[in-house]
Every structure is written in C-alpha cells, then in structure tokens.
Amino acid sequence: MTDYDTIRPVRWERDRLMLLDQRALPGRTRWIQCESSAAAAQAIRDMVVRGAPAIGIAAAYGAVLAAREAMAAAPTSWLPRLEQALEHLGAARPTAVNLRWALRRQRRRLDAATPDPAAVLLREAQAIVDEDLAANRRMGVLGAALMTEPGGVLTHCNTGSLATAGYGTALGVIRSAWMEGRITRVYAGETRPWLQGARLTAWELLQDGIPVTLLADSAAPALMRSGAVRWVVVGADRVTANGDVANKIGTYALAVAARQHGAGFMVVAPRSSVDMTLPHGDAIDIECREAGELLALNGHRVAPAGADAWNPVFDITPAALVDALVTEAGVVHRPDREGMATRFAGTGAGDAVPAGQ
Ligand code: MRU
C-alpha cells in the first residue's frame, strides 16, 4: 500500500467474510464475521458496511457464502437456491446500483454444470476488488488533474477506503490532489443522520495524515460564500443515462450552492455506479430509512414524542449542476445524455437488472 491509503473495510480471511463495523468507528475498531449469505445481507442493511462500491464487494463475497450453503443443502440442484440467496442479497439496499451490478456479474459466472461454484465466485469477487482499487487510483489521477489552481475542497458523506475496496472515489481524488499539493484545505460535512462525514471521513483522513476541517451540513453554503471552496467533490450511488446523480442526502443542496458561488462540482464514480438502463434520476429507487434515525442522536431521543420524520438517505442532483463526472473510463464534462452515451456506449457500465437474471 502507498502513502495515504491504509484502510481495507472488507476482507476475506480463512474462508470467512470479515467486515470492519463502520457503526462503531471512530471509537472502536471492531470486525464482524459473516458466516452466511443472510448475515452478509443483514450487515449491508444495518450499515456495518456502506458506500456503494463496498456494498457491492461485500455482496460479491456474500455470493460465495451463498454458493457454499446451496452446495451443502442440495449438491445436485444448488443453482435455484443460490439464485434465491442472490435475490436476498440484492434487496438489502435499493439505491446503489453497485450491489446488483456485482451480483449480476457473479450470476453470469455460473451455470448448473459449474463444478465448484464457490471457488468460481471467490475468484470473481477478488477480481471485483482488484478492479475497484485500480479504478479508484485512475480516478484519483484524472480528478486531481482538474484541480488546476490550489484551493479548498469540500466533500460529503464518506467516499473513501471505507466505502470502496480501498483509496476511495471522491476521497481518492482528494488523496491524490493532496499528495500533489493541489489542495490547501479539506472540509467535510458531518452528514446527518449517520454522520459518515464526522465519524468516518474525518477518521479516515486523519489515519492517513491528511488534516480535515468538519462543518455542520447547513454551514456549507456560508463556507462557499466566503470563497474558501474551489471544488465540491462527491461520490455517487448511481448515475443515470442523462448524467443525473443519486448520492447521500444533502448532495443536491451542495450542488445548488456550488453553482451559486462559483465553486466547481465534481462527481467521482466508477463505471459500476453508472446505470445506463435508467433514463433519469427520478427513476431511481431512493432509500428511505426509519424515522428513528432522525428522531434520536447517539441512541438518545431528541425530538418530542409524537414528532414524525422524513428520512430519505439519498437525493438526486440534476446533471445540469455537475461540472465534471470522473470515472476510470475518463471524464465527462457537463454530463448530458449525449456525453454519457459517447463515454459509456458498449462499456458494460453497471445496470439495474436484478440478481439472478
Ligand atoms: O448510506 P451510505 O453511507 O451507504 O451512503 C454512501 C454514499 O452516499 C456515498 O457518497 C456513495 O456511496 C459513494 S461511496 C464511494
């Protein structure tokens, strides 16, 4: 591993899936061992592992566990059981297309005559990890090159090693640009309600020696107005055929404020997050989580009894607000339907076909 890149959140060790429990960070470093595909699906749902590429990787390893289970239960007719388990894994979270992309890729490696499906799927899961790392490195180079004048950057949620195989997407660009001296200061929004920015991004940057300044999500427009932010750099859970971007709730507000204040808005996402089957962002299934996540803080109820809450955990940023979409296949400037089609035609970019089909 090189400088500024030491964290790996998903590991396959001694035939077990190990997940760094991101709910416990930064206070505790705790690993959760998943012994079944159902446990892997639950861990994804419960945010033990999160971030679009990382949940795809966890699901790819979950498929290995599913193959072992199906072979043990029905050695001669394991495929239908395995397909059921893949469906279950694919339903764990709806918005990040990487989850279904990874499972679909796994499914394609199999047919009823595959002699050792678990071994085949393990090799494919490892390939997904290796490709994700390579994509992140490439995006780091491409995104950093867009930062032609030194300045401050603002990021949202956590898009780093914790959210990927390693290095990160938006945070990978920030790592690369930091190493090249293109960034004067990294700002991170706290990212209510799960606080991925305050807990995870701040921890990850400090682990790797990059100073970080946190701000309340609502402080971002004021920071931009002060002129301190040259680029807003975020990741994506899904990018549609017209360049619309689904990402952590609050991303849309940052894009509006960036345009208002003349800051660049950069989205960094691997091809596995690009879904050319959906025409626009309104077609994306946006995950709405429990009201309780908003009504309480750290397990302590803060809202009065009787208050309800609306808790969508992603939003859509219209393509018109995006200055650059950085993928490992290249940069799409001011993405629109035409630019997306040109860049992703025939590249096998991620799509939304359900696992098992
Ligand atoms: O709910 P989360 O923490 O899984 O949301 C994560 C994000 O929104 C990230 O920005 C996105 O997945 C890109 S991660 C490289």
Side-chain angles (χ1 to χ4, degrees):
M1 274 183 251
T2 59
D3 284 348
Y4 304 113
D5 178 29
T6 58
I7 298 157
R8 296 290 178 267
V10 181
R11 293 187 182 155
W12 184 261
E13 277 175 8
R14 291 184 296 278
D15 261 0
R16 294 276 183 281
L17 172 60
M18 304 295 292
L19 300 173
L20 178 57
D21 188 349
Q22 300 194 26
R23 300 165 306 178
L25 291 172
R28 268 182 305 161
T29 305
R30 177 171 77 195
W31 288 85
I32 301 249
Q33 180 171 305
C34 295
E35 301 201 7
S36 67
S37 63
Q42 195 62 45
I44 293 169
R45 193 170 293 118
D46 291 347
M47 310 278 285
V48 172
V49 58
R50 33 64 51 204
I55 63 179
I57 290 163
Y61 283 120
V64 180
L65 299 173
R68 280 208 310 230
E69 289 152 14
M71 282 296 276
T76 55
S77 57
W78 49 270
L79 189 54
R81 278 174 187 267
L82 176 54
E83 284 178 328
Q84 231 178 5
L86 296 184
E87 283 294 339
H88 185 65
L89 279 162
R93 293 190 72 190
T95 304
V97 73
N98 310 61
L99 176 63
R100 283 173 176 254
W101 168 86
L103 292 169
R104 186 164 185 257
R105 192 167 151 169
Q106 291 290 47
R107 176 63 187 85
R108 280 190 180 139
R109 300 293 301 162
L110 302 171
D111 62 49
T114 307
D116 186 350
V120 169
L121 296 186
L122 184 55
R123 278 197 296 277
E124 191 69 6
Q126 196 52 51
I128 291 173
V129 169
D130 294 344
E131 287 168 28
D132 190 60
L133 261 172
N136 292 340
R137 294 273 176 191
R138 178 77 189 133
M139 293 188 292
V141 171
L142 294 173
L146 299 177
M147 297 179 180
T148 48
E149 297 154 24
V153 300
L154 169 63
T155 191
H156 190 53
C157 194
N158 171 268
T159 62
S161 299
L162 288 168
T164 61
Y167 204 67
T169 59
L171 221 54
V173 167
I174 289 171
R175 278 188 164 90
S176 295
W178 179 264
M179 277 187 270
E180 293 170 11
R182 296 172 188 262
I183 292 178
T184 51
R185 192 181 275 242
V186 180
Y187 296 96
E190 60 172 353
T191 320
R192 279 280 286 149
W194 273 81
L195 300 176
Q196 289 95 330
R199 294 188 304 105
L200 306 179
T201 297
W203 179 77
E204 180 171 336
L205 288 173
L206 293 175
Q207 288 286 308
D208 286 342
I210 301 175
V212 59
T213 302
L214 274 173
L215 57 147
D217 298 325
S218 47
L223 182 72
M224 287 188 229
R225 187 161 184 262
S226 77
V229 178
R230 179 69 196 86
W231 283 95
V232 176
V233 189
V234 297
D237 285 78
R238 197 182 293 229
V239 183
T240 54
N242 68 341
D244 286 353
V245 174
N247 192 49
K248 180 55 54 192
I249 190 76
T251 301
Y252 175 37
L254 294 178
V256 171
R259 185 58 55 87
Q260 170 71 15
H261 297 296
F265 189 82
M266 188 192 304
V267 176
V268 188
R271 282 182 295 171
S272 55
S273 302
V274 176
D275 181 356
M276 294 298 281
T277 70
L278 293 187
H280 49 70
D282 291 341
I284 298 175
D285 186 357
I286 296 289
E287 178 181 6
C288 242
R289 293 180 69 93
E290 282 175 36
E293 292 180 353
L294 273 183
L295 298 171
L297 256 183
N298 249 349
H300 297 290
R301 174 99 189 183
V302 287
D308 196 5
W310 179 53
N311 187 22
V313 296
F314 300 101
D315 59 23
I316 304 297
T317 298
L321 294 175
V322 177
D323 292 303
L325 169 64
V326 177
T327 77
E328 73 274 35
V331 178
V332 185
H333 294 277
R334 295 283 177 125
D336 58 11
R337 196 169 303 282
E338 205 188 331
M340 293 293 288
T342 306
R343 176 61 67 193
F344 298 110
T347 63
D351 58 43
V353 177
Q357 289 186 16

Short mmCIF file of all heavy atoms in Angstrom, two decimals, residues 136-150 153 167 169-183 231 233 266 268 324 326 331:
data_model
loop_
_atom_site.label_atom_id
_atom_site.label_comp_id
_atom_site.label_asym_id
_atom_site.label_seq_id
_atom_site.Cartn_x
_atom_site.Cartn_y
_atom_site.Cartn_z
N ASN A 136 -10.18 3.28 -8.71
CA ASN A 136 -10.04 4.41 -7.79
C ASN A 136 -8.72 5.16 -7.99
O ASN A 136 -8.67 6.40 -7.95
CB ASN A 136 -10.17 3.93 -6.34
CG ASN A 136 -11.58 3.44 -6.04
OD1 ASN A 136 -12.52 3.80 -6.75
ND2 ASN A 136 -11.73 2.63 -5.01
N ARG A 137 -7.67 4.40 -8.21
CA ARG A 137 -6.36 5.03 -8.47
C ARG A 137 -6.43 5.89 -9.74
O ARG A 137 -5.92 7.00 -9.79
CB ARG A 137 -5.30 3.95 -8.68
CG ARG A 137 -5.04 3.15 -7.46
CD ARG A 137 -4.01 3.83 -6.63
NE ARG A 137 -3.83 3.11 -5.39
CZ ARG A 137 -3.15 3.58 -4.38
NH1 ARG A 137 -2.61 4.77 -4.45
NH2 ARG A 137 -3.03 2.89 -3.28
N ARG A 138 -7.05 5.33 -10.75
CA ARG A 138 -7.15 6.04 -12.04
C ARG A 138 -7.99 7.32 -11.87
O ARG A 138 -7.63 8.39 -12.36
CB ARG A 138 -7.77 5.10 -13.07
CG ARG A 138 -7.99 5.71 -14.42
CD ARG A 138 -6.70 5.79 -15.21
NE ARG A 138 -6.86 6.56 -16.42
CZ ARG A 138 -6.05 7.52 -16.84
NH1 ARG A 138 -4.97 7.82 -16.15
NH2 ARG A 138 -6.27 8.16 -17.95
N MET A 139 -9.12 7.19 -11.17
CA MET A 139 -9.97 8.37 -10.96
C MET A 139 -9.25 9.41 -10.13
O MET A 139 -9.44 10.62 -10.35
CB MET A 139 -11.29 7.95 -10.28
CG MET A 139 -12.16 7.09 -11.20
SD MET A 139 -13.81 6.77 -10.55
CE MET A 139 -13.46 5.72 -9.16
N GLY A 140 -8.41 8.95 -9.21
CA GLY A 140 -7.62 9.89 -8.42
C GLY A 140 -6.76 10.77 -9.31
O GLY A 140 -6.71 12.00 -9.15
N VAL A 141 -6.11 10.14 -10.27
CA VAL A 141 -5.24 10.89 -11.19
C VAL A 141 -6.08 11.86 -12.03
O VAL A 141 -5.76 13.04 -12.16
CB VAL A 141 -4.47 9.90 -12.11
CG1 VAL A 141 -3.74 10.64 -13.21
CG2 VAL A 141 -3.51 9.05 -11.28
N LEU A 142 -7.18 11.34 -12.60
CA LEU A 142 -7.99 12.15 -13.51
C LEU A 142 -8.65 13.33 -12.78
O LEU A 142 -8.70 14.45 -13.29
CB LEU A 142 -9.08 11.29 -14.17
CG LEU A 142 -8.59 10.20 -15.12
CD1 LEU A 142 -9.75 9.31 -15.58
CD2 LEU A 142 -7.90 10.83 -16.34
N GLY A 143 -9.18 13.06 -11.60
CA GLY A 143 -9.88 14.10 -10.85
C GLY A 143 -8.92 15.17 -10.35
O GLY A 143 -9.20 16.38 -10.42
N ALA A 144 -7.76 14.73 -9.84
CA ALA A 144 -6.77 15.69 -9.33
C ALA A 144 -6.33 16.63 -10.44
O ALA A 144 -6.11 17.83 -10.21
CB ALA A 144 -5.58 14.95 -8.72
N ALA A 145 -6.21 16.10 -11.65
CA ALA A 145 -5.72 16.92 -12.77
C ALA A 145 -6.69 18.07 -13.09
O ALA A 145 -6.29 19.08 -13.69
CB ALA A 145 -5.53 16.04 -14.01
N LEU A 146 -7.95 17.93 -12.68
CA LEU A 146 -8.92 19.01 -12.93
C LEU A 146 -8.71 20.19 -11.97
O LEU A 146 -9.21 21.29 -12.21
CB LEU A 146 -10.36 18.49 -12.78
CG LEU A 146 -10.77 17.37 -13.76
CD1 LEU A 146 -12.20 16.91 -13.46
CD2 LEU A 146 -10.68 17.86 -15.20
N MET A 147 -7.99 19.92 -10.88
CA MET A 147 -7.78 20.98 -9.88
C MET A 147 -6.54 21.78 -10.28
O MET A 147 -5.43 21.54 -9.78
CB MET A 147 -7.62 20.36 -8.50
CG MET A 147 -8.87 19.63 -8.05
SD MET A 147 -8.67 18.90 -6.43
CE MET A 147 -10.26 18.14 -6.21
N THR A 148 -6.73 22.69 -11.19
CA THR A 148 -5.58 23.37 -11.79
C THR A 148 -5.01 24.48 -10.90
O THR A 148 -3.86 24.86 -11.04
CB THR A 148 -5.97 23.93 -13.16
OG1 THR A 148 -7.21 24.62 -13.02
CG2 THR A 148 -6.13 22.82 -14.20
N GLU A 149 -5.86 25.02 -10.00
CA GLU A 149 -5.34 26.04 -9.07
C GLU A 149 -5.51 25.53 -7.66
O GLU A 149 -6.57 25.00 -7.34
CB GLU A 149 -6.16 27.33 -9.16
CG GLU A 149 -6.12 28.01 -10.49
CD GLU A 149 -7.38 28.86 -10.70
OE1 GLU A 149 -8.02 29.24 -9.69
OE2 GLU A 149 -7.71 29.09 -11.86
N PRO A 150 -4.53 25.68 -6.78
CA PRO A 150 -4.67 25.22 -5.40
C PRO A 150 -5.86 25.91 -4.72
O PRO A 150 -6.12 27.09 -4.97
CB PRO A 150 -3.36 25.62 -4.73
CG PRO A 150 -2.42 25.96 -5.83
CD PRO A 150 -3.24 26.34 -7.02
N VAL A 153 -11.24 22.17 -0.77
CA VAL A 153 -12.26 21.27 -1.30
C VAL A 153 -13.21 20.90 -0.17
O VAL A 153 -12.81 20.80 0.99
CB VAL A 153 -11.70 19.98 -1.94
CG1 VAL A 153 -10.78 20.28 -3.10
CG2 VAL A 153 -11.02 19.10 -0.92
N TYR A 167 -8.75 3.22 -1.10
CA TYR A 167 -8.38 4.50 -1.71
C TYR A 167 -9.56 5.45 -1.85
O TYR A 167 -9.48 6.59 -1.45
CB TYR A 167 -7.70 4.29 -3.08
CG TYR A 167 -6.80 5.47 -3.46
CD1 TYR A 167 -5.65 5.72 -2.74
CD2 TYR A 167 -7.13 6.30 -4.52
CE1 TYR A 167 -4.82 6.79 -3.08
CE2 TYR A 167 -6.29 7.37 -4.87
CZ TYR A 167 -5.14 7.60 -4.14
OH TYR A 167 -4.33 8.65 -4.47
N THR A 169 -13.30 6.99 -3.97
CA THR A 169 -13.68 7.67 -5.22
C THR A 169 -13.41 9.17 -5.07
O THR A 169 -12.32 9.64 -5.41
CB THR A 169 -15.15 7.37 -5.55
OG1 THR A 169 -16.00 7.83 -4.47
CG2 THR A 169 -15.37 5.89 -5.78
N ALA A 170 -14.38 9.91 -4.51
CA ALA A 170 -14.13 11.34 -4.28
C ALA A 170 -12.96 11.53 -3.32
O ALA A 170 -12.09 12.40 -3.52
CB ALA A 170 -15.39 12.00 -3.72
N LEU A 171 -12.91 10.69 -2.29
CA LEU A 171 -11.79 10.82 -1.34
C LEU A 171 -10.48 10.36 -1.97
O LEU A 171 -9.39 10.81 -1.57
CB LEU A 171 -12.10 10.05 -0.06
CG LEU A 171 -11.70 10.75 1.23
CD1 LEU A 171 -12.29 12.14 1.36
CD2 LEU A 171 -12.05 9.91 2.45
N GLY A 172 -10.56 9.50 -2.97
CA GLY A 172 -9.36 9.11 -3.72
C GLY A 172 -8.81 10.30 -4.50
O GLY A 172 -7.60 10.53 -4.53
N VAL A 173 -9.72 11.07 -5.11
CA VAL A 173 -9.29 12.28 -5.81
C VAL A 173 -8.66 13.24 -4.80
O VAL A 173 -7.60 13.85 -5.07
CB VAL A 173 -10.49 12.95 -6.53
CG1 VAL A 173 -10.15 14.37 -6.98
CG2 VAL A 173 -10.94 12.10 -7.71
N ILE A 174 -9.27 13.35 -3.63
CA ILE A 174 -8.73 14.26 -2.61
C ILE A 174 -7.35 13.76 -2.15
O ILE A 174 -6.40 14.54 -2.01
CB ILE A 174 -9.73 14.40 -1.45
CG1 ILE A 174 -10.93 15.23 -1.94
CG2 ILE A 174 -9.08 15.02 -0.21
CD1 ILE A 174 -12.11 15.30 -0.99
N ARG A 175 -7.20 12.44 -1.95
CA ARG A 175 -5.88 11.88 -1.58
C ARG A 175 -4.83 12.25 -2.64
O ARG A 175 -3.74 12.73 -2.32
CB ARG A 175 -5.96 10.36 -1.50
CG ARG A 175 -6.51 9.81 -0.22
CD ARG A 175 -6.35 8.28 -0.20
NE ARG A 175 -6.52 7.78 1.14
CZ ARG A 175 -7.69 7.42 1.68
NH1 ARG A 175 -8.79 7.49 0.97
NH2 ARG A 175 -7.76 7.00 2.93
N SER A 176 -5.20 12.00 -3.92
CA SER A 176 -4.23 12.24 -5.00
C SER A 176 -3.88 13.73 -5.07
O SER A 176 -2.70 14.10 -5.19
CB SER A 176 -4.81 11.80 -6.34
OG SER A 176 -5.01 10.42 -6.35
N ALA A 177 -4.92 14.58 -5.02
CA ALA A 177 -4.69 16.02 -5.16
C ALA A 177 -3.90 16.55 -3.97
O ALA A 177 -3.07 17.46 -4.10
CB ALA A 177 -6.03 16.75 -5.31
N TRP A 178 -4.15 15.98 -2.79
CA TRP A 178 -3.40 16.39 -1.60
C TRP A 178 -1.92 16.07 -1.77
O TRP A 178 -1.03 16.90 -1.51
CB TRP A 178 -3.98 15.71 -0.36
CG TRP A 178 -3.22 16.07 0.89
CD1 TRP A 178 -2.21 15.36 1.49
CD2 TRP A 178 -3.39 17.26 1.67
NE1 TRP A 178 -1.76 16.03 2.60
CE2 TRP A 178 -2.47 17.19 2.74
CE3 TRP A 178 -4.25 18.37 1.57
CZ2 TRP A 178 -2.37 18.20 3.69
CZ3 TRP A 178 -4.15 19.36 2.54
CH2 TRP A 178 -3.22 19.28 3.57
N MET A 179 -1.65 14.85 -2.25
CA MET A 179 -0.26 14.44 -2.45
C MET A 179 0.45 15.34 -3.45
O MET A 179 1.64 15.57 -3.35
CB MET A 179 -0.21 13.00 -2.97
CG MET A 179 -0.32 11.98 -1.87
SD MET A 179 -0.04 10.31 -2.51
CE MET A 179 -1.70 9.84 -2.94
N GLU A 180 -0.32 15.85 -4.41
CA GLU A 180 0.27 16.69 -5.46
C GLU A 180 0.28 18.17 -5.07
O GLU A 180 0.64 19.03 -5.90
CB GLU A 180 -0.51 16.51 -6.77
CG GLU A 180 -0.35 15.11 -7.36
CD GLU A 180 -1.31 14.85 -8.51
OE1 GLU A 180 -1.96 15.81 -9.00
OE2 GLU A 180 -1.44 13.68 -8.91
N GLY A 181 -0.18 18.49 -3.88
CA GLY A 181 -0.15 19.89 -3.42
C GLY A 181 -1.21 20.77 -4.06
O GLY A 181 -1.07 21.99 -4.12
N ARG A 182 -2.28 20.15 -4.54
CA ARG A 182 -3.31 20.93 -5.23
C ARG A 182 -4.42 21.39 -4.30
O ARG A 182 -5.33 22.12 -4.71
CB ARG A 182 -3.95 20.10 -6.35
CG ARG A 182 -2.98 19.73 -7.46
CD ARG A 182 -3.63 18.73 -8.42
NE ARG A 182 -2.71 18.20 -9.39
CZ ARG A 182 -2.60 18.64 -10.65
NH1 ARG A 182 -3.37 19.62 -11.07
NH2 ARG A 182 -1.74 18.10 -11.47
N ILE A 183 -4.39 20.93 -3.04
CA ILE A 183 -5.46 21.26 -2.10
C ILE A 183 -4.86 22.00 -0.90
O ILE A 183 -3.85 21.55 -0.33
CB ILE A 183 -6.17 19.97 -1.62
CG1 ILE A 183 -6.94 19.33 -2.78
CG2 ILE A 183 -7.10 20.25 -0.44
CD1 ILE A 183 -7.64 18.04 -2.42
N TRP A 231 -13.54 23.48 -5.07
CA TRP A 231 -14.27 22.34 -5.62
C TRP A 231 -15.09 21.65 -4.53
O TRP A 231 -14.59 21.43 -3.43
CB TRP A 231 -13.31 21.29 -6.18
CG TRP A 231 -12.72 21.60 -7.51
CD1 TRP A 231 -11.51 22.20 -7.75
CD2 TRP A 231 -13.30 21.34 -8.80
NE1 TRP A 231 -11.31 22.33 -9.09
CE2 TRP A 231 -12.38 21.80 -9.77
CE3 TRP A 231 -14.50 20.76 -9.22
CZ2 TRP A 231 -12.64 21.70 -11.14
CZ3 TRP A 231 -14.74 20.66 -10.59
CH2 TRP A 231 -13.82 21.13 -11.53
N VAL A 233 -16.40 17.95 -4.05
CA VAL A 233 -16.07 16.65 -4.66
C VAL A 233 -16.86 15.57 -3.92
O VAL A 233 -16.69 15.39 -2.70
CB VAL A 233 -14.56 16.36 -4.56
CG1 VAL A 233 -14.19 15.13 -5.38
CG2 VAL A 233 -13.75 17.55 -5.04
N MET A 266 -17.74 18.33 -8.68
CA MET A 266 -17.17 17.13 -9.30
C MET A 266 -17.78 15.87 -8.67
O MET A 266 -17.80 15.74 -7.46
CB MET A 266 -15.64 17.13 -9.07
CG MET A 266 -14.90 16.04 -9.82
SD MET A 266 -13.16 15.84 -9.27
CE MET A 266 -12.47 17.45 -9.47
N VAL A 268 -17.37 11.77 -8.57
CA VAL A 268 -16.36 10.75 -8.86
C VAL A 268 -16.98 9.38 -8.61
O VAL A 268 -17.39 9.08 -7.48
CB VAL A 268 -15.12 10.94 -7.96
CG1 VAL A 268 -14.00 10.01 -8.41
CG2 VAL A 268 -14.65 12.39 -7.98
N ALA A 324 -18.19 18.11 -13.66
CA ALA A 324 -17.37 17.01 -14.18
C ALA A 324 -17.77 15.70 -13.51
O ALA A 324 -17.91 15.64 -12.29
CB ALA A 324 -15.89 17.28 -13.91
N VAL A 326 -16.20 12.14 -13.08
CA VAL A 326 -14.92 11.44 -13.25
C VAL A 326 -15.14 9.95 -13.06
O VAL A 326 -15.63 9.51 -12.01
CB VAL A 326 -13.89 11.96 -12.22
CG1 VAL A 326 -12.57 11.19 -12.35
CG2 VAL A 326 -13.66 13.45 -12.39
N VAL A 331 -13.21 11.43 -18.11
CA VAL A 331 -14.02 12.50 -17.52
C VAL A 331 -15.12 12.89 -18.51
O VAL A 331 -14.84 13.08 -19.69
CB VAL A 331 -13.14 13.74 -17.22
CG1 VAL A 331 -14.00 14.87 -16.63
CG2 VAL A 331 -12.01 13.37 -16.26
#
